[in-house]
């Protein structure tokens, strides 16, 4: 076996992950292959297809040396004996399981390309997030080859967007699941060697394949559940006068609860949490575990309700009508430090505001291009990179993304150029509410009465 590494899929996962692997393994050739010419062209340019702090520097340090981006998927498979599969696995929108199950068509196409192009034994590594027991299906596809042996490993990725490079360089853990026979253990060991160049051995966990696939779904479900739990309390805080930031602080100081993932807000967005929790719901249902399925589905239901509540409160604060009013959305990315808008709460809120016949102005430092695509169906929306211009003549501002640049704006100036009475809804609790109130704003925030 050679030491070269290929990755099928040059997206948010494939690109950054392979860039860090290449940087930390200068003696290995790393080829990232994708069917999208536009994506590959962007990876080969100075304008990378995704924004991620520190990514440009890592790519620049090894692209053209031992890191390559190509559309020639077949050649990448032939040249490399370790093949990661990092293709998209979105929620199915059709047929059985629509709205819940993962759409595995891209993943199966990748498996079939490996089968067709392989020129020797290969280690195939699932990097995409997949339903438990998918490795079985991948093995079933690959084992139809009589000449060569394929060992399927599960190596889910835990990085979060916006901090991908830091998460890859300093992971809490790297998880590798594989078959427990001789061949499986040798393959696991080969993959451990890739990560051991920068991750300490005690942080590299090896398990059976099913535990690995399950752990990824479980980790995302537990994190999403924490957000829905704190958001459920935020609604109750608004009714009772408790302050969600104070409550979260108290909870976080209990070391058994821990302080992370307790920020109330407009609910979780991003390409993973909703998709993976719904996939888990589908998995539970398909095993007849209906109480488990209902439990996890409630996490998504709570998340949707939080976004609806934000719009309901906005309508109420603006005298029960938004028709003809101008509303500025500050931030459209699903979180700060990314241009990704997949499943962003801002999209749901924008759609609900548009249903009330509001005119929208959207501003965001990195996500305006994606926002324009996401909102192309709305008749009355404009896009403005400058937040001061975005806020001019609007009735209300909804802060949807916790970008640092919004914390240092001159809110007095913004207030002066707004229609009166001016409303600001800080859905992320990042601003100084007392100061805003003093300036004259009517202030709404998630989980507090101001
Ligand atoms: P993405 O859509 O950004 O990238 C997937 C890429 O795969 C696309 O560029 C697409 O063109 C390519 N592709 C699809 N079919 C192909 C084929 N047959 N051959 C070659 N290329 C093909 O998706 P992503 O955000 O990178 O997510 C990929 C997987 O990683 C998903 O399963 C996701 O759940 C998982 N994951 C994502 C994150 C994240 O932060 N985005 C984190 C952990 C896990
Ligand atoms: C998530 C997981 O964290 C990561 O481990 C996995 O690999 C992919 O899915 P990501 O979706 O990129 O990562 O970002 P994350 O930081 O988890 O945030 C997800 C959403 O939850 C964002 O919309 C964020 O704003 C929201 N969130 C997060 C909260 O509302 N409150 C919090 O306390 C934390």
């Amino acid at each position: 076996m050679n030491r070269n590494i290929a990755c099928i899929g040059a997206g948010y996962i494939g690109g950054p992950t392979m860039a860090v692997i290449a940087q930390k393994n200068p003696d290995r050739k790393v080829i990232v292959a994708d069917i999208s010419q536009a994506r590959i062209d962007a990876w080969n340019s100075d304008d990378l297809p995704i924004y991620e702090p520190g990514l440009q520097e890592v790519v620049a340090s090894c692209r053209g040396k031992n890191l390559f981006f190509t559309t020639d998927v077949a050649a990448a498979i032939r040249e490399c004996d370790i093949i990661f599969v990092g293709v998209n696995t979105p929620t199915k929108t059709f047929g059985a399981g629509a709205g819940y199950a993962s759409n595995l068509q891209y993943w199966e196409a990748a498996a079939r390309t490996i089968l067709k192009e392989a020129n020797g034994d290969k280690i195939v590594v699932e990097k995409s997030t997949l339903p438990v027991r998918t490795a079985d299906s991948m093995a079933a596809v690959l084992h139809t080859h009589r000449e060569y042996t394929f060992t399927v490993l599960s190596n889910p990725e835990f990085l979060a967007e916006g901090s991908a490079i830091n998460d890859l360089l300093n992971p809490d853990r790297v998880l590798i699941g594989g078959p427990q026979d001789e061949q499986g253990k040798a393959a696991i060991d080969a993959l451990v060697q890739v990560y051991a160049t920068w991750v300490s051995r005690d942080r590299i966990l090896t398990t059976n394949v099913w535990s690995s696939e399950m752990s990824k779904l479980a980790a995302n479900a537990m994190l999403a559940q924490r957000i829905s739990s704190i958001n459920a309390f935020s609604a109750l805080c608004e009714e009772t006068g408790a302050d969600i930031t104070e409550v979260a602080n108290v909870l976080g100081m209990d070391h058994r609860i821990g302080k992370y993932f307790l920020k109330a807000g407009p609910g979780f967005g991003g390409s993973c949490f909703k998709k993976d929790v719904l996939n888990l719901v589908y998995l539970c249902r398909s095993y007849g575990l209906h109480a488990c399925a209902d439990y996890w589905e409630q996490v998504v239901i709570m998340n949707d309700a939080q976004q609806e509540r934000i719009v309901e409160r906005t309508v109420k604060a603006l005298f029960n009508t938004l028709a003809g009013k101008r509303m500025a959305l500050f931030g459209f990315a699903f979180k700060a430090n990314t241009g990704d808008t997949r499943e962003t709460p801002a999209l749901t809120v924008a759609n609900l505001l548009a249903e009330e016949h509001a005119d929208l102005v959207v501003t965001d430092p990195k996500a305006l291009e994606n926002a324009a695509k996401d909102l192309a169906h709305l008749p009355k929306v404009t896009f403005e990179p400058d937040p001061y211009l975005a806020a001019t003549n609007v009735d209300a501002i909804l802060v949807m993304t916790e970008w640092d640049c919004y914390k240092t704006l001159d809110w007095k100036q913004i207030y002066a150029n707004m229609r009166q009475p001016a409303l600001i809804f800080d859905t992320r609790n990042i601003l100084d509410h007392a100061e805003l109130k003093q300036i004259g704003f009517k202030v709404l925030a998630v989980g507090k009465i101001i």
Side-chain angles (χ1 to χ4, degrees):
M1 286 211 126
N2 68 37
R3 290 164 54 77
N4 298 345
I5 293 174
C7 178
I8 303 178
Y12 285 87
I13 274 298
T17 309
M18 291 304 123
V20 167
I21 286 181
Q23 190 186 53
K24 296 296 180 183
N25 290 270
D27 58 327
R28 293 180 192 261
K29 188 170 185 178
V30 178
I31 307 174
V32 193
D34 200 292
I35 43 177
S36 162
Q37 184 72 54
R39 257 209 170 159
I40 292 301
D41 288 347
W43 279 113
N44 282 321
S45 76
D46 288 335
D47 190 14
L48 300 184
I50 62 177
Y51 171 71
E52 196 59 68
L55 176 63
Q56 184 87 44
E57 291 79 0
V58 178
V59 170
S61 74
C62 41
R63 190 177 57 195
K65 292 179 190 148
N66 70 324
L67 175 65
F68 303 91
F69 294 93
T70 179
T71 51
D72 194 345
V73 182
I77 292 168
R78 287 198 291 272
E79 224 182 306
C80 304
D81 286 345
I82 300 178
I83 303 169
F84 285 82
V85 181
V87 301
N88 38 328
T89 53
T91 304
K92 256 184 110 174
T93 52
F94 55 88
Y100 291 90
S102 291
N103 179 350
L104 299 179
Q105 74 180 97
Y106 308 104
W107 163 86
E108 188 178 334
R112 289 192 185 280
T113 311
I114 296 172
L115 179 70
K116 180 162 167 264
E117 303 297 342
N119 53 350
D121 296 350
K122 305 283 178 190
I123 296 173
V124 178
V125 187
E126 297 176 344
K127 198 49 147 168
S128 303
T129 305
L130 295 159
V132 185
R133 296 208 76 88
T134 301
D136 245 359
S137 317
M138 181 165 256
V141 171
L142 295 171
H143 287 170
T144 55
H145 205 296
R146 285 190 218 104
E147 222 178 322
Y148 306 130
T149 305
F150 300 90
T151 313
V152 181
L153 302 181
S154 159
N155 172 221
E157 184 49 59
F158 294 102
L159 70 78
E161 288 178 31
S163 56
I165 297 301
N166 189 44
D167 294 345
L168 286 163
L169 292 173
N170 307 293
D172 285 348
R173 74 299 205 199
V174 167
L175 176 58
I176 301 173
Q180 299 298 299
D181 55 11
E182 276 306 292
Q183 185 187 312
K185 285 181 182 158
I188 290 173
D189 194 49
L191 191 53
V192 168
Q193 302 307 320
V194 172
Y195 287 102
T197 56
W198 83 96
V199 181
S200 73
R201 190 62 189 78
D202 59 339
R203 284 182 186 262
I204 304 178
L205 305 178
T206 59
T207 64
N208 78 31
V209 189
W210 324 126
S211 304
S212 174
E213 289 179 339
M214 179 72 82
S215 300
K216 176 62 197 176
L217 288 186
N220 276 359
M222 297 282 282
L223 291 170
Q225 182 241 49
R226 269 174 84 93
I227 298 169
S228 279
S229 297
I230 202 74
N231 283 341
F233 282 116
S234 78
L236 198 53
C237 284
E238 287 158 24
E239 298 297 331
T240 56
D243 178 321
I244 196 64
T245 310
E246 291 177 352
V247 173
N249 191 34
V250 174
L251 294 176
M253 283 182 76
D254 184 328
H255 72 277
R256 297 167 302 175
I257 296 175
K259 64 181 178 180
Y260 298 104
F261 268 69
L262 286 180
K263 285 205 189 85
F268 53 78
S271 66
C272 292
F273 281 170
K274 190 170 182 184
K275 158 177 88 71
D276 293 342
V277 174
L278 291 172
N279 179 13
L280 181 63
V281 170
Y282 181 75
L283 201 64
C284 293
R285 288 244 155 81
S286 66
Y287 287 111
L289 301 171
H290 296 292
C292 303
D294 291 350
Y295 176 77
W296 289 114
E297 186 158 26
Q298 203 56 41
V299 170
V300 175
I301 292 170
M302 181 62 228
N303 202 54
D304 293 344
Q306 185 77 345
Q307 284 150 37
E308 285 156 20
R309 231 165 45 74
I310 283 172
V311 175
E312 278 161 21
R313 290 183 67 199
T314 307
V315 175
K316 204 168 157 200
L318 289 169
F319 319 113
N320 289 316
T321 175
L322 299 188
K325 288 187 177 153
R326 283 169 57 79
M327 325 280 297
L329 297 189
F330 273 37
F332 201 79
F334 81 95
K335 63 185 281 195
N337 299 319
T338 178
D340 195 353
T341 60
R342 291 178 290 179
E343 299 294 342
T344 180
L347 176 59
T348 314
V349 167
N351 281 330
L352 291 172
L353 294 173
E355 273 177 28
E356 294 289 340
H357 293 188
D359 296 356
L360 304 181
V361 190
V362 179
T363 185
D364 189 289
K366 293 285 175 196
L368 274 196
E369 217 174 292
N370 282 332
K373 286 185 211 146
D374 296 343
L375 296 175
H377 60 285
L378 295 184
K380 289 183 174 175
V381 55
T382 50
F383 302 92
E384 172 52 63
D386 181 340
Y388 291 96
L389 293 179
T392 304
N393 281 329
V394 301
D395 297 272
I397 295 171
L398 279 78
V399 179
M400 296 303 305
T401 312
E402 72 280 26
W403 286 104
D404 272 346
C405 57
Y406 298 151
K407 297 176 191 165
T408 50
L409 293 172
D410 180 345
W411 288 104
K412 254 191 199 151
Q413 190 189 328
I414 288 178
Y415 178 80
N417 290 327
M418 284 174 69
R419 287 182 185 163
Q420 305 299 328
L423 173 73
I424 186 158
F425 195 157
D426 181 11
T427 75
R428 296 279 185 171
N429 285 329
I430 57 169
L431 303 177
D432 182 336
H433 300 147
E435 186 201 331
L436 291 172
K437 211 170 165 184
Q438 208 186 5
I439 291 171
F441 281 102
K442 178 169 175 57
V443 185
L444 296 180
V446 161
K448 27 188 112 198
I449 302 167
I450 291 157

